[in-house]
């Protein structure tokens, strides 16, 4: 293929943009594909691998942002006889008039702050896309509601508060010059962070009133892709440790306790490393039953099929504070938790696909 071609689609990039446009293909496109005209990624060609024939006869899609993060999951799904179309949001062009999608199930593996795309504003197109899929009757694992919670810290605070869980006091605002006014009823120190964010991006510690006033005058302050930020009371974790409770279909998958550095807010664990400071102090941890029950309630409110909840015990008052709902997690390494979490996730996706294909029949042309 030439420089302007896209190997994932098996045709010139200009043709993909004109004909495919990263809408899920129409039924007409799909029927043409069945006659040998492919508008789908090369990996999407059906290949029966010895699994359930009915499962192999349907189509499934996985929405993603960063290919290396999904390769291990694709491998595990393939081992289970499920071939799935990987759809990169980086190339997304959405045709909202389309209703006829050929997929029996879509899995959303786009993170709340998709840095792999180079443009976090793609989340708004992803939200519109998920909404369109669901309004067309296509079930989505971690669908529109889940993603809307993931991409709004304001909504997360609301869910946690509605469930009667303790959360740091928070004020949301869209005009940073109002920071001193917003801080009047809060107790220092504070942090300011974007409403849409992840991996600690844009979080700043404000320890004094003068820090707050300086931030209000700082026009370089990162307020994220939607321009909304949160001013929040800062609770330094007791022992500089946070706890992540990973859930899968309403059940505890595992818990980990993670040692962090003071003033460092990137808690992202990818292969046991923190992007800000190298190796992590990760250890398996069994959360108390009331925490597991709370995490299950949170996942239900967020309509998340899989995801994590994070909390800390505050040095201020010794109380437990929940501070993050994350429907997308890069799982902790198997040598930390004692098993491969991706195996469990792949099993859950296959179960959902089997259940779905027993209820619907997608046209074959």
């Amino acid at each position: 293929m030439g420089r302007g071609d896209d190997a994932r689609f098996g045709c010139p990039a200009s043709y993909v943009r004109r004909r495919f446009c990263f809408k899920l293909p129409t039924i007409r496109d799909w029927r043409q594909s069945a006659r040998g005209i492919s508008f789908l990624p090369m990996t999407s060609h059906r290949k029966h691998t010895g699994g359930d024939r009915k499962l192999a006869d349907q189509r499934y899609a996985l929405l993603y942002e960063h290919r290396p993060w999904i390769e291990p999951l694709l491998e595990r799904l393939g081992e289970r006889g499920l071939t799935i179309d990987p759809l990169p949001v980086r190339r997304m062009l959405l045709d909202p008039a389309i209703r006829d999608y050929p997929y029996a199930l879509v899995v959303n593996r786009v993170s709340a702050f998709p840095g792999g795309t180079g443009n976090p504003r793609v989340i708004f197109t992803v939200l519109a896309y998920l909404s369109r899929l669901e309004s067309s009757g296509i079930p989505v694992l971690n669908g529109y509601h889940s993603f809307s919670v993931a991409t709004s810290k304001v909504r997360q605070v609301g869910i946690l508060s509605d469930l009667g869980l303790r959360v740091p006091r928070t004020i949301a605002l869209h005009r940073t010059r109002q920071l001193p006014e917003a801080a009047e009823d809060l107790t220092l120190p504070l942090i300011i962070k974007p409403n849409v964010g992840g991996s600690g991006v844009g979080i700043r510690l404000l320890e004094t009133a003068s820090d707050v006033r300086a931030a209000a005058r700082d026009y370089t302050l990162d307020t994220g892709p939607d321009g909304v930020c949160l001013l929040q009371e800062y609770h330094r974790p007791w022992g500089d440790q946070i706890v992540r409770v990973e859930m899968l279909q309403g059940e505890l998958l595992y818990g980990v306790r993670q040692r962090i550095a003071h003033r460092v807010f990137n808690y992202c664990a990818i292969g046991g490393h923190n992007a800000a400071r190298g190796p992590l102090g990760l250890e398996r941890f069994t959360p108390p039953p009331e925490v597991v029950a709370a995490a299950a309630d949170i996942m239900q409110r967020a309509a998340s099929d899989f995801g994590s909840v994070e909390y800390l015990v505050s040095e201020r008052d010794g109380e437990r504070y929940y501070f993050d709902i994350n429907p997308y997690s890069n799982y902790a390494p198997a040598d930390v938790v004692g098993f491969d979490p991706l195996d469990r996730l792949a099993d859950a996706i296959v179960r959902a696909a089997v259940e779905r294909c027993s209820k619907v029949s997608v046209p074959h042309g």
Side-chain angles (χ1 to χ4, degrees):
M1 287 189 168
R3 183 177 179 84
D5 295 345
D6 191 325
R8 287 170 296 189
F9 290 91
C11 51
S14 60
Y15 189 74
V16 170
R17 288 193 296 268
R18 183 173 66 252
R19 189 71 176 90
F20 188 81
C21 291
F22 202 75
K23 62 188 182 184
L24 286 180
T26 64
I27 292 297
R28 181 185 64 180
D29 292 337
W30 189 33
R31 289 172 177 168
Q32 288 176 326
S33 179
R35 293 195 294 269
I37 306 173
S38 176
F39 301 99
L40 296 172
M42 285 181 161
T43 52
S44 70
H45 295 300
R46 301 295 94 190
K47 180 176 66 175
H48 186 55
T49 55
D52 188 296
R53 169 64 67 179
K54 190 172 183 180
L55 186 67
D57 285 345
Q58 305 293 347
R59 303 190 78 105
Y60 311 93
L62 189 148
L63 202 60
Y64 76 94
E65 60 175 286
H66 191 50
R67 184 71 185 222
W69 289 358
I70 66 162
E71 287 292 353
L73 178 58
L74 293 177
E75 291 174 6
R76 286 159 178 78
L77 291 172
E79 291 167 359
R80 290 157 174 78
L82 183 69
T83 309
I84 197 163
D85 300 338
L87 304 177
V89 298
R90 182 173 176 269
R91 302 185 63 82
M92 175 178 282
L93 296 173
L94 173 64
D95 183 348
I98 297 299
R99 284 190 59 86
D100 297 323
Y101 299 123
Y103 292 108
L105 179 73
V106 175
V107 181
N108 177 27
R109 287 292 282 170
V110 180
S111 72
F113 191 74
T117 68
N119 184 355
R121 288 192 298 273
V122 73
I123 65 167
F124 302 114
T125 310
V126 173
L127 281 167
Y129 183 57
L130 295 173
S131 175
R132 192 60 178 153
L133 283 172
E134 292 178 359
S135 68
S136 301
I138 308 299
V140 183
L141 296 184
N142 277 20
Y144 173 81
H145 185 72
S146 174
F147 196 62
S148 68
V149 171
T151 54
S152 174
K153 303 295 185 186
V154 173
R155 294 197 66 180
Q156 293 177 26
V157 170
I159 287 175
L160 296 170
S161 299
D162 288 347
L163 289 171
L165 302 172
R166 191 175 286 106
V167 62
R169 291 190 62 204
T170 303
I171 301 294
L173 62 154
H174 67 276
R175 300 169 68 192
T176 55
R177 64 185 179 183
Q178 291 182 291
L179 282 171
E181 177 185 354
E184 288 178 358
D185 294 328
L186 301 178
T187 302
L188 293 167
L190 308 173
I191 56 173
I192 184 170
K193 58 185 178 182
N195 180 48
V196 180
S199 302
V201 173
I203 298 181
R204 184 184 299 189
L205 179 62
L206 308 176
E207 298 186 277
T208 66
S210 61
D211 288 342
V212 175
R213 291 191 295 270
R217 297 190 298 268
D218 186 353
Y219 292 102
T220 67
L221 198 66
D222 186 356
T223 58
D226 68 352
V228 176
C229 61
L230 282 71
L231 188 64
Q232 192 170 72
E233 291 184 348
Y234 173 60
H235 292 261
R236 182 172 179 175
W238 181 84
D240 287 331
Q241 294 179 331
I242 65 166
V243 175
R244 179 177 295 110
V245 183
E246 201 73 49
M247 305 293 289
L248 178 61
Q249 293 185 326
E251 303 290 336
L252 176 66
L253 183 59
Y254 64 81
V256 288
R257 186 161 49 196
Q258 178 178 336
R259 191 171 298 277
I260 62 173
H262 184 42
R263 297 173 179 270
V264 173
F265 299 100
N266 183 2
Y267 306 152
C268 181
I270 304 176
H273 286 73
N274 178 301
R277 61 184 186 89
L280 289 169
L282 273 179
E283 61 179 354
R284 187 165 184 178
F285 174 76
T286 302
E290 66 271 18
V291 169
V292 176
D297 289 341
I298 292 167
M299 290 293 105
Q300 184 178 31
R301 286 290 185 100
S304 295
D305 300 281
F306 43 81
S308 66
V309 175
E310 295 180 2
Y311 73 89
L312 57 84
V313 176
S314 173
E315 275 194 354
R316 284 193 189 195
D317 54 21
E319 298 288 354
R320 182 187 297 130
Y321 286 83
Y322 294 83
F323 65 90
D324 191 43
I325 303 172
N326 185 4
Y328 182 102
S329 291
N330 286 292
Y331 289 139
D335 60 353
V336 172
V337 298
F339 62 92
D340 188 346
L342 279 178
D343 283 335
R344 307 279 180 88
L345 177 60
D347 289 341
I349 292 172
V350 170
R351 284 196 300 269
V354 169
E355 179 182 357
R356 179 60 179 167
C357 75
S358 68
K359 296 178 179 179
V360 300
S361 177
V362 178
H364 287 269

